Amino acid sequence: MAETIKIINQANSELNIIQGSRTLDLINRLTKLDAEEKETLLYESESILKNCVNPIETIGSTTGIAIGYVQSGKTMSFTTLTALAIDNRFRIIIYFAGIKVNLLEQTTNRLKKDLLTDSDNSRFFKVYQSPTITDNVHLKIKGALLLNHKPAILITVLKHHKHISELTKIFDTYEVKEALGNNGVLIIDDEADQASLNTYGRKNSKSEDWEEDEFSSTYSSILNLRAALPNHSYIQYTATPQGPLLINIMDLLSPKFHKVLTPGKSYTGGKTFFEENTDLIISIPEGEVYHHKKNQLSECPQSLINALQIFICGVAITVNIQDKENFLSMLIHADSLKDVSRQFYDWVKMMKDSWEDRLKLPDGDPSKTELIEQFKENYNEAVRRIQNPPEFEAVMVEVLQVILDTNIELVIAGSKEIDWSNATAHILVGADMLNRGYTVEGLMVSYMPRYSIGKSNADTIQQRCRFFGYKRNFLDSCRVFLPNESIMEYREYVEHEEIFRTNLKEHSLEEYEQLLILSGNVNPTRNNILSVDLIKHKLSGWRQLNALQHIDENNIFVENFISNINFKNYEDFGTPDRRHRYVKLEINVAIEFLKNFKIANMPDALRKSSTIQYLRFLADKKEVNHVYIFQMAYSVEEGRRRSLDTEDGKLKINNIFSGRALSGTDKYPGDKGICFEDSICIQIHRIRLKHYSMQWDNKLIHTLGIYYPEDFAHSFVGINK
């Protein structure tokens, strides 16, 4: 066999970044940041932008990840990135603003507020939320692109396949294509919902290919949008991904760079609560931890009553007496079921109304006296960390005022946006609507009695970290009520997060990916993805990919790859169409090849990422250390002719593999006989398409055929799913 070859990739050139009027205007208005914080914000935003594709008349795409803490100001980071991008001649910025309407509106309003798009800077911006063809937005975008003063076009959409597909239609119109040309689009994926990445591989394991579900159809729509943009940079903002999750992101998205974001000095996150100030965490007794099956509560738990009174005392002190904040909030997150949220909402409203009535009674009334004694116990907890706190009597004078000015909100689907400035105190009761991405302003007390059966995963813990944020100014009044199990899980999560961030700061993604693989930390996830059924039915025998998007990029990439390789000739079968050559590559080089080859249909994207996982698994088990890459019909420069058909409404190459010839002098085993049995084989096919349309007919593309030896599938031992 041939020697194994290792390839060293050349680094891409970086953009020269300028700080122009849009950036300086934004930075000068961020008065809550000191000079050092502003400098850090600019430096990190520039680090992201300089790795993006040149926005002027370039064909290419790239993916990057910006990694921050939960509630640490990722929105400020991508708003600064937006301003910098505009100053550096990006005309269109697209935002995937979460999977809930409230997050979409929150992001749109925040961008408008921070960039002054509706007031002083309206001339420099055009903002579209969930645009559609029927609203003629494609004509508006075309017009904006042609304006001499070059306004920036900001587009916010839900991260949902219907909304993203509608946006793709806009970018596929002749008007927008002509006006945009090969100029750059920046895509910002805010709070990417990565939980699905952990389970995508197990879907439909017994079919030969992956089928679309809600997650994959959304991801597929993103691939289609990206394929419609000849020049774009895709930046995914996320809280720190854990080891297994990072591997999945790497394989499915193939990011080229990352940036670990620095929080502001007043940020209070996991370290603040679970390492430095553990006395801010209060344990909820096991009998008061709600679960809709295991522990339904028939009455309002005492721990919730205590939390409410501590919150009211805290608002009375911090807002009414000390005048340190304009308002403060409390979050109650009990269970994922809406009926449970309603139950807790009813309890809170009943308590508030009852306390209001009792505090209005004459002094000396037994009911009022009893309530004041209750408040006194919780006042002691509320002021425990406050230096020179106001006397209890002074606080009680303000308690009724706080109760009268408390807004209680049940936050479920269809809830209205909260007007934070319209009350002294806000109490939010809800579940999933208060999870990922939702910002609770001025959050002081969190009550989260959610019972978990078994260990929560890191992504679930992250989603519930709403009590992290910028609250140094009132930290001594903050309290977090959690079950004991949750407290342990948070501590473990925080410890791992800090180690993870340190490693990500010190290594490139590729280096850290290798460290994770070598450490064995990703094996549980890999087993999760590579089930016996999946290997047996999907990663066995021959498969072809339909690389019908990113054609120009793939053609350039493959031709550069081939020019840097010393191939060996395979057996000569007599005609140019049957002359092939191959190279034996290290597994890591083959993985890098697959990552750089662009795929933009969901089944093939999942095949590619699962193939990468499979290669890693085989390498871990010391089954193989190499892969074969074949250049098929290498001397046929014009490409082999293949029909492009429509199957279930989607374009598909009829069959990339030439068949067998079993008789006569020109015997040929067929393209599927061009392989070795001791490892996975990847065939590069140069194809000239045949189609009835001018758009596709005679188009030159490169696509791949992959062979998974049957023996590997038979010997695979994993999880039967």
Side-chain angles (χ1 to χ4, degrees):
M1 291 294 175
E3 287 183 24
T4 303
I5 295 171
K6 185 170 184 176
I7 298 171
I8 298 172
N9 289 332
Q10 293 180 331
N12 294 325
S13 58
E14 294 179 341
L15 288 175
N16 287 322
I17 306 300
I18 63 162
Q19 293 178 18
S21 54
R22 296 282 65 79
T23 305
L24 296 174
D25 173 65
L26 173 66
I27 292 296
N28 289 336
R29 285 187 283 103
L30 297 177
T31 54
K32 290 186 178 180
L33 302 187
D34 65 23
E36 185 182 354
E37 289 173 313
K38 289 179 181 179
E39 189 177 326
T40 300
L41 178 62
L42 281 169
Y43 168 74
E44 291 177 350
S45 301
E46 287 179 16
S47 297
I48 296 167
L49 191 64
K50 73 182 181 183
N51 283 292
C52 292
V53 178
N54 189 323
I56 306 303
E57 287 300 332
T58 306
I59 291 176
S61 62
T62 192
T63 300
I65 305 181
I67 298 162
Y69 286 115
V70 176
Q71 297 286 95
S72 66
K74 293 187 292 292
T75 306
M76 186 182 291
S77 173
F78 71 65
T79 305
T80 307
L81 179 64
T82 297
L84 268 174
I86 294 164
D87 284 338
N88 289 275
R89 302 201 286 179
F90 283 84
R91 292 293 309 281
I92 298 179
I93 296 104
I94 296 167
Y95 308 84
F96 298 147
I99 57 174
K100 308 275 189 188
V101 173
N102 62 339
L103 296 186
L104 173 65
E105 291 175 349
Q106 178 179 288
T107 299
T108 307
N109 293 337
R110 177 77 184 270
L111 282 167
K112 286 181 173 183
K113 176 186 169 190
D114 290 350
L115 296 170
L116 302 179
T117 64
D118 286 347
S119 53
D120 294 7
N121 292 335
S122 59
R123 178 173 165 77
F124 304 114
F125 294 96
K126 305 285 184 187
V127 182
Y128 301 103
Q129 180 175 307
S130 300
T132 62
I133 290 268
T134 53
D135 292 333
N136 287 321
V137 174
H138 59 299
L139 300 179
K140 295 173 184 175
I141 289 174
K142 173 199 169 185
L145 286 168
L146 297 176
L147 287 171
N148 288 337
H149 67 279
K150 293 181 167 39
I153 299 160
L154 312 183
I155 301 170
T156 59
V157 291
L158 272 179
K159 195 173 179 185
H160 184 278
H161 63 93
K162 289 181 181 176
H163 295 264
I164 297 170
S165 297
E166 189 66 32
L167 187 57
T168 304
K169 289 179 191 173
I170 289 171
F171 281 99
D172 270 335
T173 60
Y174 171 77
E175 292 86 352
V176 174
K177 274 190 177 298
E178 184 184 41
L180 181 60
N182 291 327
N183 293 311
V185 174
L186 180 63
I187 303 174
I188 292 172
D189 190 345
D190 178 24
E191 290 283 8
D193 183 14
Q194 293 154 344
S196 305
L197 285 171
N198 268 339
T199 55
Y200 74 83
R202 292 179 289 166
K203 300 288 184 185
N204 313 303
S205 291
K206 291 192 177 180
S207 60
E208 283 205 357
D209 235 318
W210 284 264
E211 297 155 16
E212 292 202 348
D213 58 12
E214 190 69 20
F215 161 67
S216 65
S217 57
T218 294
Y219 191 78
S220 185
S221 67
I222 295 172
L223 291 175
N224 291 335
L225 173 63
R226 296 185 66 178
L229 301 169
N231 177 350
H232 71 272
S233 301
Y234 177 68
I235 309 299
Q236 188 178 49
Y237 274 79
T238 177
T240 310
Q242 300 302 289
L245 199 52
L246 179 67
I247 295 291
N248 289 342
I249 293 167
M250 294 287 291
D251 292 344
L252 197 55
L253 300 177
S254 301
K256 297 299 178 194
F257 63 93
H258 75 291
K259 189 66 190 175
V260 179
L261 303 176
T262 307
K265 293 175 183 176
S266 62
Y267 177 70
T268 53
K271 281 199 301 184
T272 308
F273 286 97
F274 293 98
E275 290 182 2
E276 299 162 357
N277 299 274
T278 55
D279 61 323
L280 297 178
I281 309 297
I282 296 175
S283 174
I284 299 174
E286 190 173 343
E288 297 180 12
V289 177
Y290 185 91
H291 189 270
H292 62 279
K293 290 181 180 176
K294 299 280 185 183
N295 192 31
Q296 289 189 9
L297 301 176
S298 58
E299 60 182 11
C300 183
Q302 184 60 45
S303 54
L304 176 56
I305 295 169
N306 294 342
L308 284 166
Q309 292 188 354
I310 289 168
F311 170 66
I312 290 167
C313 287
V315 176
I317 294 165
T318 308
V319 178
N320 290 27
I321 297 173
Q322 296 180 336
D323 200 25
K324 289 169 70 174
E325 297 288 331
N326 293 324
F327 64 87
L328 289 167
S329 304
M330 177 176 178
L331 166 66
I332 299 170
H333 188 310
D335 193 276
S336 59
L337 300 176
K338 288 181 183 178
D339 286 347
V340 178
S341 293
R342 288 192 179 95
Q343 175 66 77
F344 274 77
Y345 172 84
D346 290 343
W347 280 335
V348 172
K349 193 169 184 312
M350 180 184 70
M351 286 293 164
K352 173 186 177 292
D353 293 344
S354 168
W355 293 345
E356 180 183 328
D357 291 342
R358 291 166 71 184
L359 289 173
K360 287 178 180 174
L361 294 170
D363 290 345
D365 184 283
S367 179
K368 181 177 181 178
T369 302
E370 181 188 28
L371 179 60
I372 290 172
E373 283 304 310
Q374 276 185 10
F375 263 96
K376 188 163 189 176
E377 287 181 29
N378 286 307
Y379 158 84
N380 291 330
E381 173 59 31
V383 300
R384 177 169 52 81
R385 288 178 46 127
I386 298 174
Q387 291 186 349
N388 302 316
E391 296 293 332
F392 173 67
E393 290 72 18
V395 173
M396 281 309 299
V397 169
E398 298 298 331
V399 161
L400 179 57
Q401 296 303 302
V402 172
I403 292 171
L404 290 167
D405 197 21
T406 292
N407 168 46
I408 307 172
E409 294 278 358
L410 179 61
V411 184
I412 55 176
S415 301
K416 66 181 186 296
E417 191 176 347
I418 292 166
D419 184 352
W420 299 104
S421 62
N422 211 25
T424 299
H426 298 273
I427 300 174
L428 278 59
V429 185
D432 292 342
M433 293 293 285
L434 294 173
N435 270 344
R436 184 186 290 282
Y438 191 91
T439 301
V440 181
E441 302 279 354
L443 179 57
M444 183 170 70
V445 174
S446 299
Y447 184 82
M448 303 173 74
R450 195 162 176 174
Y451 188 107
S452 59
I453 300 174
K455 195 171 177 63
S456 301
N457 63 39
D459 192 75
T460 304
I461 294 169
Q462 267 184 12
Q463 288 184 35
R464 298 180 193 160
C465 292
R466 295 302 103 196
F467 52 89
F468 295 1
Y470 288 87
K471 49 194 70 180
R472 192 71 61 183
N473 192 39
F474 53 92
L475 180 64
D476 289 331
S477 294
C478 290
R479 295 294 184 275
V480 181
F481 288 75
L482 292 168
N484 279 324
E485 280 187 16
S486 296
I487 293 170
M488 297 302 294
E489 287 178 350
Y490 274 109
R491 283 181 182 152
E492 189 178 324
Y493 166 77
V494 168
E495 181 183 343
H496 287 140
E497 180 179 47
E498 291 309 311
I499 295 168
F500 206 81
R501 283 174 62 88
T502 301
N503 279 317
L504 280 169
K505 285 177 182 177
E506 294 173 353
H507 298 93
S508 70
L509 283 173
E510 288 76 14
E511 289 169 345
Y512 192 44
E513 185 180 28
Q514 290 306 309
L515 283 176
L516 286 169
I517 293 161
L518 292 171
S519 72
N521 289 343
V522 298
N523 283 336
T525 295
R526 191 162 313 132
N527 287 340
N528 217 14
I529 287 172
L530 297 176
S531 66
V532 169
D533 283 339
L534 186 144
I535 300 295
K536 182 179 173 183
H537 295 283
K538 291 186 172 65
L539 303 183
S540 179
W542 279 101
R543 298 290 188 273
Q544 78 172 45
L545 303 186
N546 291 282
L548 297 172
Q549 297 87 12
H550 300 286
I551 290 170
D552 292 338
E553 277 188 86
N554 281 338
N555 286 345
I556 293 167
F557 164 67
V558 170
E559 284 161 13
N560 286 340
F561 176 83
I562 288 169
S563 68
N564 285 306
I565 291 288
N566 292 318
F567 286 93
K568 284 201 166 191
N569 289 331
Y570 197 75
E571 182 180 345
D572 191 339
F573 292 98
T575 64
D577 186 62
R578 296 175 176 180
R579 287 195 190 109
H580 318 298
R581 55 190 188 180
Y582 69 94
V583 64
K584 183 179 179 182
L585 297 175
E586 284 186 359
I587 275 188
N588 286 340
V589 178
I591 286 173
E592 198 61 26
F593 172 84
L594 286 172
K595 285 185 175 184
N596 285 315
F597 189 86
K598 299 283 174 68
I599 295 292
N601 70 79
M602 195 59 192
D604 284 352
L606 292 174
R607 172 167 301 288
K608 185 177 91 165
S609 59
S610 292
T611 301
I612 291 169
Q613 297 271 4
Y614 193 22
L615 284 170
R616 289 214 185 91
F617 173 84
L618 293 170
D620 282 352
K621 299 296 181 186
K622 304 292 187 282
E623 299 276 346
V624 295
N625 60 10
H626 62 277
V627 172
Y628 297 101
I629 294 187
F630 290 79
Q631 185 187 6
M632 305 299 287
Y634 60 85
S635 61
V636 184
E637 289 191 12
E638 68 273 17
R640 294 154 126 188
R641 301 286 289 182
R642 294 291 185 266
S643 296
L644 186 62
D645 298 338
T646 302
E647 191 176 295
D648 298 326
K650 294 178 181 177
L651 290 171
K652 186 175 182 180
I653 306 166
N654 182 19
N655 184 7
I656 64 172
F657 303 108
S658 290
R660 294 184 294 174
L662 300 177
S663 60
T665 57
D666 60 344
K667 286 185 179 179
Y668 179 59
D671 286 358
K672 291 183 178 180
I674 310 302
C675 60
F676 297 109
E677 292 294 333
D678 62 318
S679 187
I680 288 174
C681 300
I682 301 168
Q683 293 181 348
I684 300 172
H685 290 257
R686 187 177 175 89
I687 302 292
R688 183 75 63 175
L689 295 173
K690 292 190 292 185
H691 196 253
Y692 61 82
S693 72
M694 288 179 63
Q695 178 189 357
W696 288 103
D697 190 47
N698 216 36
K699 188 177 279 291
L700 180 70
I701 73 162
H702 287 87
T703 193
L704 305 179
I706 304 179
Y707 176 61
Y708 310 91
E710 307 277 354
D711 286 350
F712 288 7
H714 295 318
S715 63
F716 178 80
V717 179
I719 300 170
N720 283 292
K721 282 187 181 174

